[in-house]
Amino acid sequence: MPDVQSPDLQSVLESAQTIAVVGCSARPTRTSHKIARYMQDRGYRIVPVNPNYDEVLGEPCYPDLPSVPADVSIDIVDIFRAPRHTAEMVRTAIERVEQTETVAGERPVVWTQLGVSSPEAEELAAEAGLPYVRNRCIKVAYDRLLG
């Protein structure tokens, strides 16, 4: 397996402006919604990704990452999906990178929430040269490092 790029979390959070939240729910009781709203309240632009909604948190919601317009630069792809889906979510992140690379040079950090990472997802990210954060809550990291 290729070496996974382990980014410095503080640098990632300080430099990021836009977070695509894959699996973001419109239901306020869901963890994905609560954390996306928390990060939005701290100044990040949230790009919800979920085929079940048209809008979440006042933002247009996209069915998948490749559907997000190319002029929307994504700094972090935060994944809230079951581990069995994580590799496929990384594949869609890679597909988006390939679509937008000539336009924006986008290389987002793949961030997997607690219990979401999978070895296959990690390997795919490494092969594509995408930094990968394994099983970390972005809210907890934000509170600890910048809060």
Side-chain angles (χ1 to χ4, degrees):
M1 181 162 117
D3 285 337
V4 174
Q5 299 178 37
S6 296
D8 175 70
L9 300 184
Q10 185 166 343
S11 296
V12 169
L13 292 168
E14 286 176 342
S15 65
Q17 296 178 8
T18 304
I19 303 170
V21 181
V22 178
C24 191
S25 177
R27 294 183 8 211
T29 57
R30 299 294 301 233
T31 302
S32 62
H33 183 93
K34 289 177 184 178
I35 291 176
R37 184 179 64 233
Y38 181 88
M39 299 306 286
Q40 187 181 53
D41 288 347
R42 270 126 197 99
Y44 294 93
R45 178 179 181 189
I46 298 300
V47 178
V49 178
N50 187 324
N52 299 311
Y53 306 108
D54 294 326
E55 182 181 297
V56 177
L57 294 166
E59 295 286 344
C61 189
Y62 300 94
D64 53 38
L65 286 167
S67 298
V68 177
D71 64 345
V72 176
S73 182
I74 297 172
D75 302 306
I76 299 172
V77 174
D78 188 17
I79 301 175
F80 280 91
R81 294 292 315 271
R84 69 181 182 276
H85 300 295
T86 305
E88 184 56 33
M89 298 305 99
V90 172
R91 283 187 193 92
T92 65
I94 293 166
E95 182 181 340
R96 175 174 163 81
V97 165
E98 290 170 351
Q99 288 175 352
T100 61
E101 199 160 29
T102 56
V103 178
E106 183 177 291
R107 307 298 289 174
V109 172
V110 175
W111 191 301
T112 60
Q113 288 293 132
L114 296 169
V116 171
S117 185
S118 78
E120 182 184 5
E122 196 166 350
E123 186 173 343
L124 288 167
E127 289 172 356
L130 296 179
Y132 190 89
V133 177
R134 179 189 315 115
N135 293 326
R136 300 288 298 263
C137 176
I138 197 167
K139 177 192 178 300
V140 170
Y142 180 92
D143 283 347
R144 185 172 59 81
L145 298 168
L146 303 178

